[in-house]
């Protein structure tokens, strides 16, 4: 998770939600009645800055003029009346402007090393406070959860504005827009990049009450989503039958979607069940779902006619409650909840001068790829002729024309010549304990093409811990600390699934080690965004069989995997465009009611569907693309998924070209957190884009026939 408005970046990466971990935000925003930063500045500010400008230029020579003008402007933009009066402001500027290179170098170096200490130790405290919940160390007591929920870094950013260290940075180092980073970044030295990242830490000053409001809207929407279950045994088909088993309770949209996927293996009733789930999903999007059936096992519901009646069967111990049983629709709560996250986000706009909307903050700051480029990449996938060819192949395999829910087809599967049980046995023998895995790391790394020296170096920077859950990687934020690999080891030893995850997490750890320790500046630690660290981890994970001494997956099996990824990218690219369209619509209609937002979302979903899906699935005006829960509670997060797939294919393609993984992995991971396109150009010779995915799909289609 990444706490956007604090200094701390907790580098935990999980395999279960590959792209979600880093980016769920703490965006919040209550709404003071101000629309521009101008209204925040004290009235004396203009006079004072022009006076200081003349004074400082006279003192440090004309050559410093651009820095002086920029620094004064940046400080003025964030200075509030309660930061001090005119005299205090002028005194601050005179004292803290670094007017010669030597002073500036000292300032830069000291900030870099002290911020490393701050981040590193905050991260260390967080890791320790989470130890009991994260590791397999016996019962978690109630107070352990409080420790785990506590974030000592929560107020650091406020503190840095209050003690004016933030202003010192703003006075001396450049704030940039994404345009500037894209245009000038390729010619910057690593030091210039590091200065840019230093200044970016202080590029917004969101008041605590705004952050609180954003946090609240986020929590409320997450809560709304977390309780949105459908009790499947209570769905009645037109014949009054119950196609789903008792006790099956599916969370929208994830479990509903996964049930559609699972139903492909039910030759007898699968199709009827899939159609029924589609009907349920559509009623959620259009808000024609009866309010009373949400999270309620006391009601039977026919989602086609929308009739409801008291449950004729019981599959839950929950008390029936006394909600009146009518088919009155959910009163647009879905869209009222989404609107709340929008209104909260807007409250931060006036305090974020370089990215004044949530849309800007997501694309220009979090992703650092312009929205127009992201849109073009998504459209390139959606309108590729490979979609039609892949659809034909699916149709052949299913033996029937495609229907809209087949957007979640899951029949592309890499086969294996070993059963899971055989693999479990091999792994358990090799790794009876977490220590056994730890010991084997240098050996595993050498198999991946690292030299013995580099393998030992990396292994010395990784500590293996037994995880309570499935496993995750936790990097460190200072060079004196090591990365932690958390892996699940059963009493009977590690199983294959655990090994597969451990190899993935080890990929994260290796990236974390290089990007923190072997990069010129700790201010540049990391990779451009989460998609990159995931892509690097997938490179490791894709070679797990070879690490066990088994043959690599054959061409056919790789082709199935590629087609699965392509079909998933095609699906989520449309979902992402809906998410983007809906956020634009909200910004264009700030006074909209939940009902109007519902109508707009339905229309946007249909438009995208009609443009890119209707001809493939033989049906127009389908609203399924609007069903993702992220759209309601994740503040424009969805575009990360399709971009992630593209990046993964680009990196994989480059690894294949290079041959050995080790040196190439190190070369890439050392580049640090520059913009995604620049990173990718230096890594592969091309900016971020879908070409590698499309090329691999083309070859996979040829191989899969
Ligand atoms: Zn991961």
């Amino acid at each position: 998770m990444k706490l956007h408005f604090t200094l701390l970046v907790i580098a935990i990466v999980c395999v279960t939600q590959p792209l979600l971990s880093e980016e769920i935000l703490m965006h919040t925003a209550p709404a003071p009645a101000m629309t521009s930063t101008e209204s925040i500045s004290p009235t004396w500010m203009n006079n004072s800055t022009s006076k200081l400008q003349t004074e400082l230029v006279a003192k440090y020579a004309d050559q410093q003029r651009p820095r002086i003008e920029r620094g004064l402007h940046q400080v003025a933009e964030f200075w509030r009346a309660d930061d001090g009066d005119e005299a205090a402001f002028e005194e601050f500027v005179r004292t803290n402007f670094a007017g010669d290179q030597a002073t500036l170098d000292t300032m830069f170096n000291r900030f870099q090393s002290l911020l490393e200490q701050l981040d590193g130790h905050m991260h260390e405290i967080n890791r320790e406070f989470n130890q009991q919940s994260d590791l397999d160390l016996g019962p978690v007591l109630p107070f352990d959860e409080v420790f785990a929920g506590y974030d000592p870094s929560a107020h650091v950013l406020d503190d840095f504005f209050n003690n004016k260290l933030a202003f010192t940075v703003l006075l001396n180092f450049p704030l940039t827009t994404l345009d500037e980073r894209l245009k000038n970044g390729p010619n910057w030295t690593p030091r210039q990049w590091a200065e840019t990242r230093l200044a970016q830490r202080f590029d917004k000053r969101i008041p605590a009450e705004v952050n609180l409001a954003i946090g609240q809207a986020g929590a409320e929407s997450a809560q709304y989503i977390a309780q949105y279950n459908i009790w499947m045994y209570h769905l009645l088909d037109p014949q009054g039958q119950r196609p789903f088993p008792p006790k099956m309770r599916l969370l929208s949209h994830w479990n509903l979607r996964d049930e559609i996927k699972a139903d492909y293996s039910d030759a007898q009733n699968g199709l009827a069940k899939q159609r029924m789930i589609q009907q349920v999903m559509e009623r959620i999007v259009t808000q024609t779902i009866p309010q009373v059936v949400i999270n309620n096992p006391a009601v039977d519901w026919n989602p086609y006619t929308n009739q409801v009646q008291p449950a004729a069967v019981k599959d839950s111990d929950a008390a029936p409650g006394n909600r009146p049983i009518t088919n009155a629709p959910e009163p647009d709560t879905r869209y009222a909840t989404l609107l709340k996250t929008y209104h909260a986000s807007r409250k931060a706009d006036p305090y974020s001068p370089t990215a004044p909307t949530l849309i800007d903050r997501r694309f220009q700051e979090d992703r650092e790829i312009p929205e127009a480029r992201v849109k073009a990449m998504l459209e390139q996938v959606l309108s590729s002729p490979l979609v039609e060819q892949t659809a034909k192949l699916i149709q052949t395999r299913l033996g029937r024309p495609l229907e809209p829910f087949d957007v979640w087809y899951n029949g592309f599967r890499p086969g294996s010549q070993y059963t899971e049980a055989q693999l479990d046995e091999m792994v358990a023998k090799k790794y009876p304990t977490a220590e056994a895995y730890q010991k084997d790391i240098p050996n595993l790394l050498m198999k991946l093409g690292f030299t013995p020296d580099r393998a030992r170096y990396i292994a010395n920077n990784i500590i293996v811990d037994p995880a309570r859950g499935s496993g995750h990687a936790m990097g460190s934020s200072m060079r004196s600390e090591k990365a932690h690999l958390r892996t699940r080891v059963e009493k009977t030893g590690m199983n294959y699934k655990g090994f597969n995850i451990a190899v993935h997490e080890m990929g994260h750890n290796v990236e974390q080690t290089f990007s923190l320790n072997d990069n010129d500046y700790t201010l540049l630690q990391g990779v451009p965004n989460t998609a990159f660290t995931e892509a690097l981890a997938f490179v490791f994970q894709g070679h797990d069989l070879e690490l066990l001494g088994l043959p690599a997956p054959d061409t056919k099996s790789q082709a199935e995997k590629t087609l699965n990824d392509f079909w998933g990218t095609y699906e989520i690219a449309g979902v992402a465009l809906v998410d983007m369209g809906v956020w634009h619509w909200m910004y264009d209609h700030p006074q909209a009611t939940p009902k109007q937002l519902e109508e707009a979302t339905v229309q946007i979903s249909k438009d995208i569907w009609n443009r890119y899906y209707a001809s493939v699935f033989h049906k127009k005006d389908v609203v399924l693309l609007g069903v993702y829960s992220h759209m309601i509670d994740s503040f424009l997060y969805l575009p990360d998924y399709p971009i992630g797939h593209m990046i993964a294919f680009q990196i994989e393609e480059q690894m294949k070209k290079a041959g050995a993984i080790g040196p190439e992995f190190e070369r890439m991971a050392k580049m640090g957190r520059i913009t995604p396109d620049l990173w990718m150009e230096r890594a592969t010779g091309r900016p971020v884009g879908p070409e590698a995915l499309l090329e691999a799909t083309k070859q996979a289609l040829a191989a899969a026939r």
Side-chain angles (χ1 to χ4, degrees), residues 13-16 18 21 504-505 508 533-534 537-538:
V13 191
C14 275
V15 68
T16 41
S21 47
H504 174 100
E505 304 304 342
H508 284 309
T533 185
E534 289 306 333
F538 284 129

Side-chain angles (χ1 to χ4, degrees), residues 51-52 55-56 59-60 86-87 89-98 171:
K51 184 172 83 186
L52 283 166
E55 185 186 317
L56 292 176
K59 184 169 175 190
Y60 295 110
E86 196 170 353
F89 171 75
E90 291 174 9
E91 164 72 14
F92 170 81
V93 170
R94 288 188 192 106
T95 315
N96 290 288
F97 182 71
L171 182 61

